[in-house]
Amino acid sequence: SMMGGIVGVRPRIHLGASGVHLNPFDLPAAGPARADGLMRRALFLHTFVAVLLGGQPSAAGRAALDTAIMACYHQAGITADRRTWARPAPLLTDLANALRTGGGQAGAELAAGLAPFTEGTHSGLFAGPTTTRPDGHLVTWSLRDLPGELKTAGTLLALDAIWRQVTGPASRRRRL
């Protein structure tokens, strides 16, 4: 489309397409960010895992998940210090490994529940670091090629990315 003589490019994020990954562990690496960004991401990951598993884990499972999430970030060299957030974020496979090795029986059960999404038939979306950033004034998200079992998780990731962009520092500057 033409706007003010400039041809606009609309970024399109095609979830479910080969080679397209969206990492739920991503933290904002650039610009000012909330001091509690790591804790907020950990809370989001609890929600994300519950969506993948189709329900909330047990109390022991939630405790194991919480410990494993923070262990993944720690192993990646990421702390509450915002300067570390530009480091490569852990992946869902790292979470499954942390649950398996340090989460006891509850962690092992959660890791088993995550297996289709980390190493099995539904792992494509989460198999690597995020391949495309949803930057731009108008981003098109397509979930058409996602299998039915991943539509809810894909929708959650898309909504999370949209929300982070519209509430991010750059968005606030544009509105001022």
Side-chain angles (χ1 to χ4, degrees), residues 10-169:
R10 289 185 188 164
R12 181 180 182 89
I13 299 178
H14 203 92
L15 300 184
S18 177
V20 175
H21 309 302
L22 203 53
N23 185 5
F25 283 83
D26 285 345
L27 287 161
R34 296 179 60 111
D36 63 350
L38 181 61
M39 287 300 121
R40 286 176 168 268
R41 188 77 326 209
L43 291 171
F44 170 77
L45 286 162
H46 275 274
T47 301
F48 181 71
V49 167
V51 165
L52 288 181
L53 299 176
Q56 280 288 342
S58 66
R62 286 193 303 274
L65 180 59
D66 200 56
T67 301
I69 288 169
M70 297 316 290
C72 285
Y73 280 116
H74 181 74
Q75 288 168 4
I78 296 171
T79 67
D81 181 347
R82 284 179 259 184
R83 293 172 296 186
T84 66
W85 295 1
R87 293 180 178 151
L91 300 171
L92 199 56
T93 52
D94 298 319
L95 178 62
N97 291 335
L99 285 165
R100 245 183 246 112
T101 58
Q105 181 62 33
E109 289 172 14
L110 284 177
L114 289 174
F117 308 101
T118 57
E119 57 205 45
T121 53
H122 303 335
S123 62
L125 184 58
F126 319 110
T130 297
T131 54
T132 181
R133 299 276 174 202
D135 295 326
H137 293 292
L138 180 62
V139 177
T140 304
W141 291 84
S142 174
L143 284 75
R144 182 182 324 170
D145 291 335
L146 276 179
E149 296 80 5
L150 287 179
K151 289 236 193 279
T152 304
T155 301
L156 178 61
L157 286 174
L159 289 173
D160 174 62
I162 292 165
W163 182 251
R164 290 187 339 161
Q165 182 159 8
V166 300
T167 60

